[in-house]
Structures are given as C-alpha cells and as structure tokens.
C-alpha cells in the first residue's frame, strides 16, 4: 500500500469506527485493483487520484459511504467494473453515489452566458439528488485542477473556465470556503497565467512589508479584549488571490490600493461576546461610518454569520474586522459539510442556525431536530430538487420546465411554431413519443413536419399554460380557416361550372346572400360548405340568382373538378382504408360535419357505401404536391435472421420513413404490415423496387382494403 493510502486510512480512523475504516480499506483495495496499470496524465498510477479526492474530503469528516464512493468514483467510467458489482460488493448507497457522479460527468458546460451558467449550476444541484455527490464532485474537480498542467493548453482553459463559472460558485453557495477559494485561484492561474504570476510576486513583497504593522495591530486588539476579560483568538487575514484580482477589476484599483487594507478575524466564545468585542474595537480605533454589517442578525444565504466592521488604523490604513464565534467560523469555512464535521454540536451550535436562510436553513434545522443522517439526507434531497427540470436543446441551451413537462411543452417553450408543427421527439438521441416526460439533463430535439398540426389529445398531458393556450388557439383557428379555404374552393368550382367567377361577385350580392341565409360572414358560409352543412351547388345557384337580378356577367361553363393541394389540413382527410397517394385516381366524398374525405377510385370500402346520403365530388391531385403521405404495404418474407433489418434498410435507402409496423408469423414465413411515408406513386414504386431486391422477400402488395 502506498504512503498516501496509509495516510488516508489514518485520517479516517481519527473520526470513523473501526468497522467503517475496514470498509474503506476494502474499497481502496478494490479501486487499486480495478485501476491497475492505468496511469494519470502526469505519469502517476491512477489510484493516486481517487485517494487524493478522498483526502480532500476527510478534513470535512465525510461519512464512510462518501469516502468509499470517492475512492471508487472513476471505477465504473474507466474500467470494466459494472455498477451492479459495486452495489453487491459495497451496498446500494455507495453504488448510488458513484452512479450520481458518473451522471454528472456526462454533461458538459457549453455556453458562458450568465443565465446559462446559473441554470447549469441549478441543474447540477438538481441532478445530484444527494449533496454528498456534489461534495465528492467538487473534491474530484479540485484535484483535477491541482494537476491540470499535464493537460493540453486548450483543454486546460476549458476546464478552468468551467470551474470558474460553475463549480467555484457551487462551492461558495454550499459554504465550502477553502474549496471555493482554491478552485477560483487555480482557475485564475490557468486562465490568466501572466496576471497570476504578477499578483503572486506582488503579494509576496507586500506580505514582507506588512508583517510589522500587522503584528502591532494584532497585539493591540488582543490586549484590549483581554483587559475586558473577553477570551479571543485574533488572526491576521488575507484575501485569496482571485478575490484581490476581482476587487481590482470591479473598482479599477491598483494592487497597492487593494492591499492598502489590513484584515483581521476575531473569534470569541459566544454571540454576546461578539457584540461586546465590537464595542471595544470601536473604542480602540474609530469605525468608518457605513461599513458596519450585522450578518449575525441577518445571515447570508449560505448560512454565513459574522459582524463586519472597518476601522481607521494607526497609520491611516483601514482595518477590516470580522467578529464571530468559533461555531460561526466552522460554518463559514465548511458550510454544508459542517453537518458531518460537527455532528456532536452543542446547544449554541443549534441556536446559531435559527436565523439562517432558504434551503440551507431548513436543512440545518432538520439536523438540529433529528441529528439523524438519513433524515438529513432525505430532507436535502427534497430541497435540492426544485419544482423544475433542466433540459438541453440540441444547441446546448438549457431550458427550465416545470416538473412533469412533456416533449410538447418543451416544443412550445422553444417556439410556438415548433410546438404547432411537432410530430415526434428525440430524447438523448433516441426517438420518443411526444408525451414523454422530461427529466433533468435530457437532451431534447423536436422533429417537425411542415404540414403537422396540434393534436387535441396533447391537451390531456401538457402541463405548461403556454402549450395549453397555444394548442387551443391553433386548433380553433386551424379548423375554421382550413374549412373556410376549402369551402371557398368548392364554391368557386360550382360557380365556374355555372359560368361565374367567384371574384366577380361584388360585396352587395354577398351581403344579400348573408341576409337570405342568416349567416354572419362569407368565411362562415365557406366553412359550412366544407363541413357538409351546406351544399356548394345550392349556394352557387343562390348567388347566381342574386347576381342575375343584380345584372352580372356570365362566363362559359368550365369543369367542376376540385384540386387537392395536400395543404388543406383538417378540412381534407385522406381515407385510412385505402390511403390514397398522389398519382392514384381519387374521388371525394363530403360527409356532414367532417368535410371532404378523399378515397382511391377502387377503394372497396367506398363501393359498399355507394348510393348513400353522402355527396360525391370529382377531385384531382395538384401537380405540385410536396408532402409525405401514408401508405400501407404488406410483405411476405422467409424467416431468416436479420431480414427485418434488411427490409428497414431498403425502405430507408429509398428515402421513406416507417410510421408503423406489425407482423404475424406462419411457419417459415412472416407477414409484415408496414405503414410508410411516401411522396407519391413514383416514390412508392421506388420503395417496392428496393424491397424486391431482397432475396427473402416473397411477395409485396399494397393494401387498399383496411376497414375504415
Ligand atoms: Mn475523477
């Protein structure tokens, strides 16, 4: 065993039970064995990395499960060990932590807009489910940052930027002060190596010059507090490097100006002593007005508590002072991890947290009520999971959606047009139905089709109000507008057969017609015609009569054939029994309340219904139709391995899509029923030619006799 490994075991023995230490030793050996032969970029054996990660966590006194997970965190990703094996060897909680970590590893931060970074941080927190996953992840990142120089320049920069924008703020938010500062300083070093060097040197010089003054002030403070019987620890304090740099940037200050301040921390025994010490120090040196802040009464969001004040120092230099209790100091340094670190906490520790903020407040309170680790984690799980899920667009943007949102909600949140035209979704690069529920970290792509329309069924599962109202709106206008457009064409065909152009009818005559029929608008008359509520021929004759009395010109009769453009939407339906495609001879039927239904000439279902009350119409295909149509074919194939794959490949090769397939097995043969998308008969012929080339295909027929 390496020295590192032994030190780790010593460190955990200091605060964990022998049984836990033994488990950690087993995890250590397991990981060592699994990573055998692998090297870090630096040339060290790989195991040095997980050990270093675990050792970053021991000062926080993380529990045995977390230390084990830290040791095993790269085993599943980088070796052929499976997560199941971890679960059976080390138990589900450890395997769960490792799985949570590899999930986080799969997502990559891409854009650097502020809002995106914020969403990304939230998503990481939400995905982690267990705060220990985040703690291990931060330790992992910290060690990678410490050993970053072995990487290529470009990769270095990307990782440093991601650390600066994502991980350091998370560490800060969780109150892990020393991890936060080190992450920032290391990122700074790799992003701006020159500035970093200059600052390091300047800081070294400044420290030497200041030593004397710092010592004098420190002694003066110490003395004054002792005179009044306040036991205190007085420490000189320095900003971390990046903190100095940020201040220089934000206030356009020179290094010497930022440095021209002395920082001290005064640690006392209880809250009352904090305020006493404050009073005494304000007596020692004059306070600078407006600089006093009471974070004890009003803690920061990450539970930080302290009194801050700035004084005029003996040589005219300001002195910044933080006054707090030992317990507040522990929280300030280790934040959320103080739960593990100071489990035994006394009453003042409990009282300390009464006024803390937001989720950290509630979770720390739950700790004070139960002190039970499991309950603490349960609480944390809920609090880490807000009511939102975070998903990626294909371009790497992150959208926040309410919990339970579906692909349709996603589509509408991207753009109303995408919602209105969506037909399917790809979630994590796999085809998924539109009703699929979004999960944190999903990468979602919406597939649209130019002629697609919202489906009323969507209303039963969308959760966002935007999707709901847009679907309702689209359904309403779509139906009416499409019907009206078709009705207008139907009427104009009838008028033409009677020798009249629809555009020649003037407004006066239309108004007369509206009065006679009692309908409010022309559009409504058209819609009525399309939906079979009024007959186009009847309206046409009515108009002719009105026009004749008004004295309009007549034109020679032309054909009364209606052209199907394929863009009529819901106003024209293609019969499911025979599934007509462009090139097929077709016939139209107007059904009351349904509008125009197009069948093939030879549709068997049609023959049965002939002579009924439905109104027949001559229809032809427009020459320039350019949209996919569904067609059904039946294939009999010999049972051979891989035949379905061959068939699917041939269909794809002919640039057709499979909408649906089902099959029945009879002895040596299988019958496959496909619904395909094709542009027209020529396209279908091309698909069939491709299928014929497959030797296992015995027979191909197009189906035109499905029951309606
Ligand atoms: Mn790692």
């Amino acid at each position: 065993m390496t020295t590192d490994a032994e030190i780790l075991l010593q460190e955990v023995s200091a605060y964990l039970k022998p049984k836990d230490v033994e488990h950690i030793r087993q995890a250590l050996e397991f990981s060592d064995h699994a990573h055998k032969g692998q090297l870090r970029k630096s040339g060290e054996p790989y195991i040095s990395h997980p050990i270093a990660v675990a050792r970053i966590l021991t000062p926080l006194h993380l529990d045995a499960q977390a230390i084990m997970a830290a040791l095993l965190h790269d085993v599943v990703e980088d070796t052929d060990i499976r997560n199941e094996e971890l679960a059976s060897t080390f138990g589900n909680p450890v395997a769960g932590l490792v799985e949570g970590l590899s999930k986080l590893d799969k997502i990559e931060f891409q854009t650097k807009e502020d809002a995106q970074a914020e969403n990304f941080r939230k998503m990481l927190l939400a995905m982690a489910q267990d705060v220990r996953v985040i703690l291990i992840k931060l330790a992992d990142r910290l060690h990678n940052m410490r050993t970053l120089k072995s990487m290529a320049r470009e990769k270095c920069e990307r990782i440093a930027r991601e650390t600066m924008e994502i991980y350091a703020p998370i560490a800060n938010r969780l109150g892990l002060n020393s991890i936060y500062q080190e992450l920032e300083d290391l990122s700074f070093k790799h992003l701006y190596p020159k500035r970093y060097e200059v600052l390091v040197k300047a800081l070294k010089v400044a420290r030497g010059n200041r030593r004397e003054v710092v010592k004098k002030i420190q002694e003066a403070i110490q003395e004054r507090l002792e005179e009044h019987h306040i036991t205190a620890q007085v420490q000189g304090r320095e900003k971390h490097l990046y903190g100095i740099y940020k201040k220089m940037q934000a206030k356009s200050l020179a290094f010497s100006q930022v440095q021209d301040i002395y920082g001290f921390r005064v640690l006392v025994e209880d809250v009352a002593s904090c305020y006493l010490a404050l009073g005494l120090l304000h007596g020692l040196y004059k306070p600078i007005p407006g600089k006093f802040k009471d974070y004890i009464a009003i803690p920061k969001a990450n539970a930080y508590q302290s009194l801050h004040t700035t004084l005029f120092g003996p040589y005219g230099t300001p002195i910044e002072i933080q006054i707090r209790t030992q317990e507040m100091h522990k929280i300030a340094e280790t934040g959320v991890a103080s739960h593990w670190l100071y489990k035994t906490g006394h009453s003042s520790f409990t009282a300390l947290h009464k006024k803390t903020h937001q989720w950290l407040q509630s979770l720390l309170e739950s700790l004070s009520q139960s002190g039970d680790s499991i309950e603490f984690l349960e609480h944390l799980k809920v609090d880490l999971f807000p009511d939102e899920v975070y998903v990626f667009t294909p371009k790497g943007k992150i959208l926040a959606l309410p919990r339970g949102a579906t692909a349709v909600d996603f589509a509408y949140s991207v753009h109303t047009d995408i919602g209105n035209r969506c037909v399917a979704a790809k979630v994590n690069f796999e085809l998924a139905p539109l009703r699929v529920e979004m999960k944190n970290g999903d990468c979602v792509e919406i597939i649209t089709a130019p002629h697609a329309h919202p489906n009323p069924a969507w209303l039963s599962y969308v959760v966002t109000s935007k999707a709901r109202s847009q679907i309702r709106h689209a359904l309403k206008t779509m139906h009416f507008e499409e019907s009206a457009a078709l009705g207008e064409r139907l009427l104009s065909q009838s008028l033409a057969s009677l020798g009249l152009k629809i555009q020649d009818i003037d407004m006066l005559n239309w108004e007369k017609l509206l009065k006679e029929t009692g309908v409010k608008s022309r559009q409504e008359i058209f819609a009525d015609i399309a939906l079979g509520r009024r007959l186009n021929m009847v309206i046409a004759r009515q108009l002719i009569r009105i026009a004749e009395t008004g004295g309009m010109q007549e034109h020679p009769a032309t054909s009364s054939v209606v052209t199907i453009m394929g863009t009529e939407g819901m106003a024209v339906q293609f019969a499911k029994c025979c599934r007509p495609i462009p090139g097929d001879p077709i016939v139209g039927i107007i059904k009351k309340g349904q509008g125009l239904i197009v069948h093939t000439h030879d549709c068997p279902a049609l023959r049965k219904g002939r002579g009924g009350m439905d109104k027949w119409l001559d229809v032809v295909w427009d020459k320039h139709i350019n949209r996919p149509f569904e067609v059904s074919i039946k294939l009999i194939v010999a049972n051979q391995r891989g035949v379905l794959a061959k068939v699917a490949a041939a269909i794809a090769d002919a640039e057709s899509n499979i909408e649906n397939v089902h099959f029945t097995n009879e002895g040596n043969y299988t019958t496959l029923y496909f619904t395909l998308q094709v542009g027209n008969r020529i396209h279908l012929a091309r698909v069939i030619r491709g299928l014929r080339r497959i030797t296992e295909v015995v027979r191909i027929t197009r189906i035109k006799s499905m029951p309606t």
Side-chain angles (χ1 to χ4, degrees), residues 419-446:
N420 284 338
R421 301 275 174 257
C422 67
V423 288
K426 270 188 181 168
V427 177
N428 304 324
F429 311 106
E430 275 179 34
L431 219 52
L434 284 171
R435 65 182 311 154
V436 66
E437 204 172 292
M438 304 283 91
K439 291 194 302 297
N440 268 312
D442 277 348
C443 176
V444 188
E445 186 186 343
I446 294 296

Side-chain angles (χ1 to χ4, degrees), residues 370-575:
S370 64
D372 175 18
S373 213
I374 300 292
E375 197 177 310
F376 172 76
L377 289 174
E378 276 306 308
H379 214 83
L380 206 48
K381 223 184 216 169
V382 176
D383 283 315
L384 280 176
F385 260 96
D387 298 329
E388 289 182 326
V389 290
Y390 302 93
V391 297
F392 286 105
T393 70
K395 284 183 185 154
K397 247 191 99 177
I398 299 167
L399 289 183
L401 294 167
R403 193 148 286 283
T406 62
V408 174
D409 293 293
F410 174 88
Y412 276 101
S413 80
V414 173
H415 197 278
T416 304
D417 279 345
I418 303 219
N420 284 338
R421 301 275 174 257
C422 67
V423 288
K426 270 188 181 168
V427 177
N428 304 324
F429 311 106
E430 275 179 34
L431 219 52
L434 284 171
R435 65 182 311 154
V436 66
E437 204 172 292
M438 304 283 91
K439 291 194 302 297
N440 268 312
D442 277 348
C443 176
V444 188
E445 186 186 343
I446 294 296
I447 299 165
T448 58
H451 303 288
H453 295 298
N455 184 330
W458 296 352
L459 289 169
S460 65
Y461 55 76
V462 295
V463 301
T464 54
S465 55
K466 175 171 184 192
R468 188 170 299 279
S469 65
Q470 293 295 343
I471 294 167
R472 286 224 175 93
H473 180 74
L475 285 173
K476 222 159 130 191
T477 50
M478 174 177 90
H479 205 149
F480 182 78
E481 279 171 16
E482 285 169 352
S483 301
L486 175 71
E488 182 170 1
R489 270 167 51 217
L490 292 173
L491 180 62
S492 105
Q493 305 283 5
S494 299
L495 284 168
S497 71
L498 298 170
L500 195 65
K501 278 192 185 155
I502 196 163
Q503 56 269 33
D504 289 343
I505 299 171
D506 60 39
M507 281 322 289
L508 224 67
N509 292 333
W510 280 114
E511 268 159 34
K512 280 184 195 160
L513 175 78
L514 292 182
K515 218 172 260 167
E516 277 186 24
T517 51
V519 176
K520 278 194 214 83
S521 71
R522 250 180 356 155
Q523 291 294 6
E524 260 176 64
I525 292 211
F526 296 151
D528 280 356
I529 291 171
L531 294 172
R533 289 194 207 110
R534 290 173 196 279
L535 290 178
N536 48 343
M537 223 19 154
V538 173
I539 297 291
R541 289 193 193 290
Q542 225 167 328
L543 270 170
I544 297 275
R545 179 173 44 71
I546 294 168
E548 272 167 357
T549 48
M552 256 176 22
Q553 259 201 330
E554 282 202 14
H555 294 270
T558 48
S559 95
S560 63
V561 174
V562 176
T563 308
I564 301 296
M565 329 269 273
T567 53
E568 294 86 352
M570 304 214 320
V572 170
Q573 299 170 48
F574 299 97

Side-chain angles (χ1 to χ4, degrees), residues 199 202 206 210 239 243-245 247-262 316-320:
L199 268 188
R210 289 153 52 97
K239 274 196 160 49
I244 295 172
Y245 178 72
K247 199 161 184 183
M248 289 166 66
Q249 292 278 303
K251 302 194 173 159
S252 315
L253 295 174
F255 175 74
S256 60
Q257 288 170 296
V258 175
Q259 269 313 97
D260 215 9
I261 260 185
Y262 297 109
T317 31
I319 309 173
E320 276 181 1

